[in-house]
Amino acid sequence: MHKRFSVGFVSKDVRRIPDATIARLPRYHRALLELAAAKTATVSSDELADLAGFNAAKVRKDLSYLGTYGTRGVGYDVDNLRRQIGRELGLTESWPVVIVGIGNLGRALATYSGFAMRGFRIAALLDADPTKSGQMVGSLPVRPSSDLATIVGTEHVAIGIIATPGVAAQDVADQLVAAGVRSILNFSPAVLNVPEGVAVRGVDLAVELQVLSYYQHHRDDLGASA
Amino acid sequence: MHKRFSVGFVSKDVRRIPDATIARLPRYHRALLELAAAKTATVSSDELADLAGFNAAKVRKDLSYLGTYGTRGVGYDVDNLRRQIGRELGLTESWPVVIVGIGNLGRALATYSGFAMRGFRIAALLDADPTKSGQMVGSLPVRPSSDLATIVGTEHVAIGIIATPGVAAQDVADQLVAAGVRSILNFSPAVLNVPEGVAVRGVDLAVELQVLSYYQHHRDDLGASA
DNA sequence: GCATGTGAATAGATTCACAGCG
DNA sequence: CGCTGTGAATCTATTCACATGC
């Protein structure tokens, strides 16, 4: 019913999935993994909403952007839906990622089993501090930052994780971009400047706490939020 | 001390600040800290937008919800604006937080200097595994989960951080809520069920990567996003 | 003159509500 | 019947553009 790409001259409307929906797809994907593990064959939008932490209307609307994968009166086939979402997210093979900055946080990320389990492979660990080189973290050695370009090239790394202090972050981002990385997950509190075409997501741990602080502080003004 | 809801005719609006704005306040706050450190006295919406990673119109609109703290033709006073935002966020004194689950991630969070620097104090580290009890992480000992209620009570802990595996997360959340904690930052991939009035924010590391994976995978369909 | 503050306009996301189909 | 799929309605957020006041 929906064409992927118009074949003509005009690369007109490529059925754009809303950003808000994309941000939720991973949660559906994870919920479906759990359902599959529990040998559940089908799931309704209501149940899926519960498992993923949203509401049924949102689930149906979100899934409708991917295509028509449900069966009226029945629900969605767990395996098929998971496969479709995984394909949309590009999880059909595991992306190699590098982690730059092997401090406490970098070490934790390096050994986080959730990455491997959900479509990602740690290709290398890098740190600018030469005294860390060779040190083992999990099953990987720490390598000097100067190896970055080589590693990205040979391992076809597409995603870089920055776990350095804020002051080093822009520098690392520049190096990643120069090496060809076009997706960056930034755990430093710094705001990164990157050229057009490079995607950046930031997770600032203190920001999350400060937002909670706001709701805690204003608790009585109005109800809490999720 | 504070009224719950006005019962009379005039349930006049308590000037609600939009959620989207609240989520950005911490970034302004941090940018202003940097400006203050650099001895900058005033800042325009344009400059602040640059530093925080947004645009000028958004900055002005956001700040207008807090009050009228700028001077036309000049800009915002850095110190005053920082103080106002800090007050709105409830950062006037440092909130005590507990971290539950002292694995690799919990350890990294426990030693993350950004928390202390931005308004939070780690009151205690807790882990269900009794063999970890007494172990020192940074300057704090790991304590058994059974101490949770006592600690929350005596230290007036308002915010709990969950850094356990997914399977344990709901359990820990229940304990935190029972102990009186009403704000939770959840680093596990689990979806938490909490009673009305408890605020939860979740950071799922794999979700962030999967969202990047989507944009990486669809790079050619359309430009990247921030 | 210059940058804020803000209504009005636009864009985006969520929710409603029900037709459509197994 | 039950549950999906989806237009229409609503709500929320962003951006525009300019009057306002230092």
Side-chain angles (χ1 to χ4, degrees):
Chain A
M1 185 58 170
H2 28 20
K3 57 330 221 56
R4 296 282 313 185
F5 303 104
S6 42
V7 197
F9 314 113
V10 191
S11 74
K12 216 33 222 312
D13 71 307
V14 183
R15 195 198 242 300
R16 183 80 169 114
I17 299 176
D19 287 347
T21 294
I22 290 158
R24 283 188 293 265
L25 291 182
R27 311 263 305 252
Y28 298 134
H29 191 259
R30 179 172 192 276
L32 290 163
L33 279 176
E34 281 181 357
L35 287 167
K39 301 268 187 279
T40 310
T42 62
V43 65
S44 69
S45 58
D46 238 320
E47 294 163 335
L48 187 49
D50 247 25
L51 287 167
F54 309 118
N55 65 53
K58 214 178 264 176
V59 169
R60 290 202 299 279
K61 185 62 108 178
D62 283 345
L63 298 183
S64 78
Y65 291 117
L66 307 187
T68 307
Y69 298 125
T71 307
R72 289 164 199 252
V74 178
Y76 302 88
D77 180 86
V78 170
D79 282 332
N80 181 45
L81 186 57
R82 177 176 46 79
R83 211 173 312 112
Q84 299 301 340
I85 294 178
R87 194 171 49 79
E88 194 64 42
L89 287 173
L91 303 179
T92 40
E93 55 194 313
S94 80
W95 297 94
V97 311
V98 290
I99 301 176
V100 186
I102 310 301
N104 290 307
L105 181 58
R107 243 182 291 272
L109 296 171
T111 53
Y112 181 54
S113 58
F115 288 159
M117 281 162 46
R118 288 161 73 193
F120 303 91
R121 183 176 67 77
I122 313 273
L125 309 178
L126 298 157
D127 199 290
D129 178 354
T131 69
K132 284 186 181 154
S133 286
Q135 202 178 100
M136 295 300 287
V137 173
S139 57
L140 289 173
V142 177
R143 303 178 58 176
S145 295
S146 50
D147 285 9
L148 196 150
T150 314
I151 293 168
V152 169
T154 59
E155 304 256 15
H156 303 103
V157 171
I159 300 177
I161 299 180
I162 298 179
T164 65
V167 289
Q170 182 63 56
D171 234 51
V172 171
D174 293 344
Q175 291 172 44
L176 285 168
V177 170
V181 171
R182 303 232 264 163
S183 296
I184 294 175
L185 181 51
N186 175 28
F187 283 95
S188 91
V191 173
L192 300 182
N193 281 306
V194 295
E196 181 91 356
V198 176
V200 177
R201 283 184 80 82
V203 176
D204 184 330
L205 306 173
V207 165
E208 298 302 320
L209 279 186
Q210 290 182 342
V211 173
L212 280 178
S213 168
Y214 173 91
Y215 290 109
Q216 176 80 25
H217 188 56
H218 292 80
R219 169 109 25 219
D220 305 309
D221 304 355
L222 189 51
S225 114
Chain B
M1 43 151 82
H2 0 38
K3 57 355 219 34
R4 301 295 309 222
F5 297 109
S6 46
V7 192
F9 329 122
V10 200
S11 71
K12 213 27 221 180
D13 284 324
V14 187
R15 203 157 55 95
R16 183 84 169 107
I17 298 176
D19 286 346
T21 293
I22 290 158
R24 284 188 293 266
L25 292 182
R27 310 263 308 253
Y28 298 134
H29 190 260
R30 179 172 191 278
L32 290 164
L33 279 176
E34 282 181 355
L35 288 167
K39 301 269 188 280
T40 309
T42 63
V43 65
S44 69
S45 57
D46 239 321
E47 294 162 335
L48 187 50
D50 248 25
L51 288 167
F54 309 118
N55 65 53
K58 215 178 263 175
V59 169
R60 289 202 300 278
K61 184 62 105 180
D62 283 345
L63 298 183
S64 79
Y65 291 117
L66 307 187
T68 307
Y69 297 126
T71 309
R72 290 166 198 248
V74 178
Y76 302 88
D77 179 87
V78 169
D79 281 332
N80 182 45
L81 186 57
R82 177 177 45 80
R83 211 172 312 114
Q84 298 302 337
I85 294 177
R87 195 171 48 78
E88 194 66 41
L89 287 173
L91 302 179
T92 40
E93 56 196 311
S94 79
W95 297 94
V97 311
V98 291
I99 301 176
V100 186
I102 311 301
N104 290 308
L105 182 59
R107 240 182 294 272
L109 296 172
T111 53
Y112 181 54
S113 57
F115 288 158
M117 281 162 45
R118 287 161 71 194
F120 303 91
R121 182 175 69 78
I122 313 274
L125 309 177
L126 299 156
D127 199 290
D129 178 354
T131 69
K132 285 188 180 152
S133 286
Q135 203 179 99
M136 294 300 287
V137 174
S139 58
L140 290 173
V142 178
R143 304 179 56 173
S145 296
S146 50
D147 286 7
L148 197 150
T150 315
I151 293 168
V152 169
T154 58
E155 304 254 15
H156 304 102
V157 171
I159 301 177
I161 299 180
I162 299 179
T164 64
V167 288
Q170 182 62 56
D171 234 51
V172 171
D174 293 343
Q175 291 172 44
L176 285 168
V177 170
V181 171
R182 304 228 265 162
S183 297
I184 294 175
L185 181 52
N186 176 28
F187 283 94
S188 91
V191 173
L192 300 183
N193 283 305
V194 295
E196 180 92 355
V198 175
V200 177
R201 284 183 79 81
V203 176
D204 185 329
L205 305 174
V207 164
E208 298 302 320
L209 278 186
Q210 290 182 342
V211 172
L212 279 178
S213 168
Y214 173 90
Y215 290 110
Q216 176 80 25
H217 189 231
H218 291 80
R219 168 103 32 213
D220 306 311
D221 302 358
L222 189 50
S225 112

